[in-house]
Amino acid sequence: ATYLGRVFQDPMLGTATNMEIQENLALAKRRGKARTLRWRITQQERTQYRELLKTLDLGLEDRLTSKVGLLSGGQRQALTLLMATLTKPKLLLLDEPAAGMNNDECVELAKLLRDVQKRFQVTIIIIEHHIDLVFDLCSRICVLNLGKVLKIDIPQNIQSDEKVIQSYLGSRMEKNDEQQ
């Protein structure tokens, strides 16, 4: 578990909504470490959290004492991603991180994930239904259908695979019929 970070589909499950942003970050930072009765956030930690939050470019660095429950879905998801990387995991599991996001938010999420991947040199396994995000972000894709592996390949080959197209996008013949 020390080498594993995860982001839930519902960002509310990965955060304590009634706690402050800085308190959530402190909990994530202390994950897996010995606990004592003394628990406080140091000024050094606040400075570190501000710097980390600046990288999200969401204005959260000035809201350390805001309750997480007041954040938008996209802000909460970005925060949970940041929390998942505080312990510098080797593997990051993302369960539909773009759930409930619009296209602009998905573009920002992809940018953020590429930055996280590069900065932390972490392998990311992502389960996602936003196909554009998957093709934009992933170097290898495993397509499942009814719990069975349908295809594992690079995005270009996945896009042109007839079995994948039929399973997820409908056959080419069906698409042509719909366009007419």
Side-chain angles (χ1 to χ4, degrees):
T2 303
Y3 303 107
L4 184 67
R6 67 178 180 194
V7 175
F8 295 96
Q9 178 179 355
D10 180 356
M12 298 306 280
L13 295 176
T15 56
T17 58
N18 291 324
M19 292 176 67
E20 299 173 353
I21 292 172
Q22 66 182 354
E23 292 169 331
N24 274 268
L25 289 166
L27 281 174
K29 184 178 178 186
R30 289 165 175 75
R31 188 179 130 233
K33 295 186 177 155
R35 296 190 174 108
T36 65
L37 292 176
R38 293 182 114 191
W39 192 84
R40 68 179 179 96
I41 300 169
T42 66
Q43 188 57 45
Q44 180 182 0
E45 287 174 313
R46 278 187 195 90
T47 301
Q48 177 192 15
Y49 299 156
R50 270 192 196 91
E51 292 304 311
L52 289 169
L53 289 166
K54 272 185 197 176
T55 65
L56 299 177
D57 197 27
L58 297 172
L60 297 178
E61 64 274 10
D62 298 322
R63 297 180 60 190
L64 282 176
T65 58
S66 293
K67 302 284 187 199
V68 171
L70 299 175
L71 302 179
S72 72
Q75 289 171 322
R76 283 192 304 260
Q77 197 66 307
L79 178 63
T80 59
L81 181 60
L82 185 61
M83 289 168 60
T85 59
L86 279 177
T87 58
K88 297 187 176 36
K90 303 246 185 266
L91 179 65
L92 187 57
L93 301 175
L94 306 177
D95 182 10
E96 297 190 43
M101 291 186 179
N102 63 36
N103 287 338
D104 291 339
E105 290 171 324
C106 284
V107 169
E108 287 301 313
L109 176 64
K111 181 178 145 190
L112 179 61
L113 289 173
R114 277 191 293 279
D115 181 54
V116 163
Q117 194 173 31
K118 183 179 175 184
R119 187 179 334 148
F120 296 104
Q121 295 297 298
V122 63
T123 299
I124 298 176
I125 295 178
I126 183 172
I127 298 167
E128 184 56 66
H129 291 98
H130 287 270
I131 303 300
D132 292 339
L133 176 66
V134 172
F135 286 138
D136 182 36
L137 189 63
C138 300
S139 57
R140 294 192 49 83
I141 298 171
C142 175
V143 179
L144 300 176
N145 187 23
L146 302 173
K148 295 190 171 120
V149 174
L150 189 60
K151 179 126 179 132
I152 300 174
D153 212 329
I154 61 174
Q156 297 85 343
N157 293 346
I158 294 290
Q159 281 179 305
S160 61
D161 186 88
E162 190 59 38
K163 286 181 184 175
V164 173
I165 292 167
Q166 282 188 312
S167 293
Y168 284 91
L169 306 174
S171 72
R172 288 190 173 121
M173 188 175 286
E174 289 171 359
K175 284 186 160 249
N176 288 337
D177 288 344
E178 287 175 13
Q179 289 176 351
Q180 293 175 356

